[in-house]
Amino acid sequence: MYEIGRLCVKIAGRDAGKKCVIVDILDSNYVLIDGETRRRKCNLTHLEPLNQIIKIKKKASNVDIIKEFKKLKIEIKTTKPKKAEKRPKKTKKIKNNEEKTAIKTVKQTKTSKTSSTKEKKATPKKKTVTTKKVK
Amino acid sequence: MPAGRYKSRSLRRVFTKVISKTKLTYKKRKPKIAHCANCKTPLKGVPRLRPHQAQNTPKTQKRPQRPFGGKLCSKCTRAKIKSSIQE
Ligand SMILES: [Zn+2]
């Protein structure tokens, strides 16, 4: 019943209801299938045989099987592998010395502000000292 | 004693952990398990979710990927495909 070239319909799984061909017999229970389904190992209990037999070689390639299926007027959708787009590599920006110093001063002001707010009530004179640092 | 609106058992009672004790909260009940439309056996791979939970879970996690997934059981789908071939 199950020989190489036998047309089948897959019953189980996400490829259920799709037609396929037996390409190779691996075991008493397992076969290799290809066609509308993905090319994969399959249990015989997950297949329902049809009357037709296609003439193909043992371990026929996917391209040959697509040609044979076209003769039966079954078109197989072929998906091209996506080309990986080149990602722009992250490059570290080299900062000038002026920019570096500017960032440092900003950081200092942030820290000084927090410290100054605490000290505001106690000593308002220190506020002037912190502003000098910014410049 | 529970408040009047919580006396009927239509709402589920859940103990939630609060700091240093547990507190009684009331939640709505889960829907029934999904069943096969043909043979009425409970379906696998179909979670019991409230509508707002179902909205936020992806479609692939709510039913099996085979044809008639989430409607028929696997036995019935196999029988259905076989019968469609023979005609
Ligand atoms: Zn069923």
Side-chain angles (χ1 to χ4, degrees):
Chain A
M1 197 70 181
Y2 294 102
E3 62 264 77
I4 290 165
R6 170 72 67 183
L7 262 182
C8 295
V9 174
K10 198 145 186 298
I11 300 170
R14 68 160 162 160
D15 291 331
K18 289 177 178 175
K19 283 181 181 176
C20 61
V21 150
I22 294 171
V23 180
D24 194 8
I25 294 161
L26 307 170
D27 198 344
S28 60
N29 293 326
Y30 290 100
V31 289
L32 187 74
I33 59 165
D34 199 355
E36 276 188 308
T37 63
R38 295 162 290 158
R39 190 187 179 93
R40 71 199 321 279
K41 180 185 162 189
C42 181
N43 198 324
L44 287 176
T45 55
H46 298 165
L47 291 174
E48 183 68 17
L50 299 175
N51 296 328
Q52 281 181 315
I53 293 174
I54 304 173
K55 281 183 181 178
I56 49 165
K57 287 176 186 176
K58 193 182 178 182
K59 292 181 183 177
S61 66
N62 188 26
V63 181
D64 296 333
I65 288 159
I66 289 168
K67 280 178 188 174
E68 290 294 327
F69 268 72
K70 267 194 177 180
K71 288 173 189 173
L72 300 169
K73 294 177 183 177
I74 300 166
E75 283 207 5
I76 296 165
K77 283 181 183 177
T78 51
T79 51
K80 287 175 187 175
K82 279 183 183 178
K83 280 182 182 178
E85 289 179 10
K86 277 188 178 178
R87 282 183 185 178
K89 276 189 178 179
K90 281 182 182 178
T91 50
K92 279 189 177 179
K93 285 177 184 175
I94 301 158
K95 283 159 189 169
N96 299 330
N97 285 327
E98 290 176 13
E99 285 179 342
K100 276 183 184 176
T101 49
I103 290 160
K104 271 186 182 178
T105 50
V106 169
K107 279 182 183 176
Q108 276 181 356
T109 49
K110 276 183 182 176
T111 51
S112 61
K113 270 183 184 176
T114 51
S115 60
S116 63
T117 47
K118 284 175 187 174
E119 292 162 2
K120 255 185 187 178
K121 288 170 187 174
T123 55
K125 277 183 183 178
K126 277 192 177 180
K127 202 179 178 183
T128 52
V129 178
T130 51
T131 49
K132 274 179 185 177
K133 274 184 185 177
V134 176
K135 286 170 186 176
Chain B
M1 279 286 283
R5 63 185 176 282
Y6 296 132
K7 270 184 184 176
S8 81
R9 287 287 181 147
S10 63
L11 291 174
R12 199 156 66 89
R13 292 176 183 195
V14 185
F15 286 97
T16 51
K17 265 193 177 181
V18 196
I19 300 163
S20 79
K21 61 173 182 177
T22 54
K23 193 188 170 190
L24 230 195
T25 53
Y26 296 86
K27 286 183 176 177
K28 286 183 176 178
R29 291 183 190 278
K30 277 182 187 178
K32 278 180 192 172
I33 301 168
H35 290 267
C36 173
N38 193 24
C39 64
K40 315 296 180 197
T41 52
L43 292 176
K44 284 163 186 173
V46 182
R48 299 168 67 185
L49 299 173
R50 298 233 96 222
H52 69 279
Q53 290 171 329
Q55 235 174 14
N56 293 328
T57 49
K59 204 173 185 179
T60 51
Q61 282 178 18
K62 285 181 285 194
R63 82 255 186 290
Q65 290 294 291
R66 81 179 93 87
F68 305 106
K71 293 280 182 291
L72 296 178
C73 68
S74 62
K75 275 185 184 177
C76 289
T77 47
R78 284 181 197 193
K80 192 160 191 172
I81 292 165
K82 274 184 187 178
S83 65
S84 69
I85 294 160
Q86 286 161 2
E87 280 168 5

